[in-house]
């Protein structure tokens, strides 16, 4: 399909067409229901968690502020990706405007990195809580959360910024059909007539610099936590210490496992259907978002009590 011409756009493209699951079109039908349910669950559960933390005074603590930040990031990521995917599935609305495509690309790269960075800060919070409990109130303060949030925003707003800029500067001279459900950087860039080596290298370097460094620091934090926990002699101290960071560790597993499987299937794309990485990429924007507030709500007594109070007020 030829590109639409637009005299005001130097690339010659006014919109792209998102072509989901070309080799497995039946996936759209059976995936639309669970995807829409996961989307509604993610929106509802994160909204309840944010309202609970906002309304319940006992939850006005640094750990819950970080959890609020995570919920807000999840909501924005879901709204950026899932409604468009469902519109494609249900109404075949495959067209996406040139600016909207690159905005979606930027938000996905930026906000996934923000989530990863938030997990890293939360791992540091748990490390201080378990390894240096007496110093916790003086280190993890409201000022610490403000500084951490500023770092999360600045780092992950600036570093991914060249990704859509580099892709937007390419010359798209003919094809405008993106073989993906979302405007992933390389899915878009490979449509251009220009050399995309710089785009590929920056995506790779930026991704591993941001997500890779976060995962290394998270792993280091939990290694130190585990070492400290195993030294505890008091009866029940190990179980209590592990329970305080159990929810957080489960969330990291959700986030990193889907990401790791996506990377592995992308690397081994000759052995698996090209639709599998596309599916995993879509699910990575909704499954952690749906499960994060549920895990914390179920496993954290303070949040559970706060939600019960909120529901009683509602009734």
């Amino acid at each position: 399909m030829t590109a639409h011409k637009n005299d005001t756009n130097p690339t010659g493209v006014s919109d792209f067409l998102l072509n989901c699951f070309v080799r497995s079109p039946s996936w759209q039908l059976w995936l639309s229901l669970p995807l829409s349910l996961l989307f509604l669950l993610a929106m509802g559960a994160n909204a309840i968690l944010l309202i609970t933390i906002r309304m319940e005074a006992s939850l006005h603590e640094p750990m819950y502020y970080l959890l609020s930040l995570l919920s807000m990031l999840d909501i924005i990521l879901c709204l950026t990706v899932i409604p468009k995917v469902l519109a494609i599935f249900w109404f075949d609305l495959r067209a996406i405007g040139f600016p909207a495509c690159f905005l979606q690309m930027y938000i996905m790269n930026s906000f996934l990195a923000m989530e990863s960075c938030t997990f890293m800060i939360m791992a540091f919070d748990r490390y201080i809580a378990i390894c240096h409990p007496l110093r916790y109130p003086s280190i993890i303060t409201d000022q610490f959360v403000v500084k951490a949030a500023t770092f999360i925003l600045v780092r992950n707003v600036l570093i991914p910024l060249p990704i859509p800029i580099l892709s937007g500067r390419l010359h798209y001279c003919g094809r405008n059909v993106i073989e993906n459900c979302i405007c992933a950087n390389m899915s878009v860039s490979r449509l251009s007539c220009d050399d995309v080596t710089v785009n590929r290298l920056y995506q790779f370097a930026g991704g591993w610099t941001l997500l890779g460094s976060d995962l290394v620091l998270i792993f280091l934090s939990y290694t130190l936590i585990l070492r400290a926990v195993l030294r505890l002699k008091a009866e029940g101290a190990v179980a209590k210490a592990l329970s305080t960071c159990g929810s957080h560790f489960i969330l990291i597993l959700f986030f990193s496992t889907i990401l790791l499987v996506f990377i592995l299937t992308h690397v081994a794309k000759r052995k698996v259907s090209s639709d599998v990485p596309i599916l995993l990429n879509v699910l990575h924007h909704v499954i952690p978002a749906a499960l994060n507030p549920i895990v914390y709500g179920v496993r954290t007594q303070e949040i559970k009590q706060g939600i019960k109070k909120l529901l009683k007020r509602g009734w």
Side-chain angles (χ1 to χ4, degrees), residues 215-267:
L215 286 174
V216 167
L217 290 170
I218 289 167
F219 177 77
L220 179 62
S221 295
Y222 273 96
T223 302
L224 294 171
I225 287 169
L226 189 61
R227 191 178 71 173
V229 164
L230 293 175
R231 288 177 178 171
L232 295 173
K233 299 289 192 294
E235 187 178 342
V238 172
K240 186 178 178 182
L242 289 176
S243 69
T244 63
C245 56
S247 302
H248 178 230
F249 190 68
I250 291 168
L251 302 192
I252 291 169
L253 283 179
F254 287 149
F255 183 84
S256 56
T257 301
I258 297 178
L259 190 65
L260 186 61
V261 172
F262 167 67
I263 291 168
L264 290 175
T265 51
H266 198 71
V267 170

Side-chain angles (χ1 to χ4, degrees), residues 13-235:
V13 173
S14 61
D15 60 22
F16 294 109
L17 293 177
L18 292 163
N19 214 12
C20 281
F21 305 127
V22 184
R23 291 162 187 79
S24 314
S26 61
W27 284 19
Q28 292 193 27
L29 186 63
W30 66 259
L31 187 60
S32 63
L33 180 60
L35 192 63
S36 58
L37 291 175
L38 280 169
F39 174 68
L40 290 173
L41 179 62
M43 291 294 102
N46 281 291
I48 289 170
L49 187 63
L50 283 170
I51 294 167
T52 302
I53 293 171
R54 173 74 181 84
M55 300 289 286
E56 189 59 41
S58 63
L59 299 178
H60 293 176
E61 294 179 6
M63 185 177 76
Y64 301 113
Y65 293 148
L66 291 171
L67 188 56
S68 296
L69 177 59
L70 190 65
S71 283
M72 285 188 282
L73 295 174
D74 281 335
I75 287 172
I76 294 168
L77 268 173
C78 271
L79 288 172
T80 302
V81 173
I82 306 305
K84 181 59 182 176
V85 174
L86 291 174
I88 295 168
F89 287 178
W90 290 338
F91 310 112
D92 200 34
L93 298 174
R94 297 186 298 143
I96 184 169
F98 191 90
C101 186
F102 291 107
L103 178 62
Q104 187 192 64
M105 182 190 295
Y106 175 66
I107 290 173
M108 288 189 299
N109 281 282
S110 177
F111 279 69
L112 278 174
M114 284 187 200
E115 279 212 352
S116 172
C117 195
T118 304
F119 281 131
M120 184 263 289
I121 301 293
M122 291 170 80
F124 176 74
D125 169 86
R126 293 300 85 199
Y127 162 72
I128 298 296
I130 291 171
C131 299
H132 303 283
L134 297 177
R135 295 177 62 196
Y136 183 84
S138 62
I139 296 175
I140 310 298
T141 60
D142 289 353
Q143 289 79 10
F144 169 83
V145 174
V146 171
K147 289 176 183 176
T150 304
F151 171 73
I152 290 167
L153 288 169
V154 171
R155 189 195 79 161
N156 301 299
V157 162
L158 295 179
I159 294 179
L161 189 58
I163 292 173
I165 292 173
L166 288 168
S167 291
R169 288 171 64 86
L170 295 172
H171 181 63
Y172 297 92
C173 53
R175 296 177 300 157
N176 71 332
V177 179
I178 301 169
E179 301 296 340
N180 207 328
C181 296
I182 56 180
C183 288
N185 178 29
M186 294 318 300
S187 297
V188 176
S189 298
R190 68 168 60 102
L191 297 178
S192 82
C193 308
D194 299 335
D195 182 18
V196 296
T197 304
V198 175
N199 299 60
R200 186 176 283 110
L201 287 174
Y202 193 87
Q203 177 79 53
F204 179 82
W208 283 109
T209 299
L210 296 176
L211 302 182
S213 63
D214 290 343
L215 286 174
V216 167
L217 290 170
I218 289 167
F219 177 77
L220 179 62
S221 295
Y222 273 96
T223 302
L224 294 171
I225 287 169
L226 189 61
R227 191 178 71 173
V229 164
L230 293 175
R231 288 177 178 171
L232 295 173
K233 299 289 192 294
E235 187 178 342

